[in-house]
Amino acid sequence: MSNWYPGANRWENKGSYKVKYKLDSNGKCTDILMARSGLSDKEADNDHIHIYRVGETAQGTTFRDDQGKLENLSDYDIKQILSGARPLF
């Protein structure tokens, strides 16, 4: 079962952006939502970037956004995004 972190109705503020993410039962990230930090949590629910896992590569995980753009992220990249050290793009 997958769950949203930090919660279904909450966003985690990372300074320049807010993030919400979903993990699978193995602890691998399956979805990342990112929004501008100046938005309220309710506004961020409607105005955010969503990427979701579509596959695995030798270098990490392949994610796709809502416009179809593919992004390959290593486990390190994902940790950096979720910790607030770097934005998605």
Side-chain angles (χ1 to χ4, degrees), residues 8-61:
N9 297 316
R10 293 187 20 203
W11 287 76
E12 191 172 348
N13 195 327
K14 297 297 183 181
S16 63
Y17 61 91
K18 292 181 170 198
V19 68
K20 188 187 295 191
Y21 58 97
K22 195 183 264 190
L23 302 175
D24 65 14
S25 60
N26 296 320
K28 295 287 268 181
C29 188
T30 62
D31 292 77
I32 300 173
L33 302 178
M34 186 174 288
R36 295 185 315 264
S37 63
L39 299 175
S40 70
D41 287 356
K42 187 172 183 156
E43 290 170 324
D45 284 339
N46 296 316
D47 185 11
H48 60 266
I49 296 169
H50 178 200
I51 65 169
Y52 53 93
R53 184 173 67 190
V54 293
E56 301 282 330
T57 68
Q59 293 78 27
T61 305

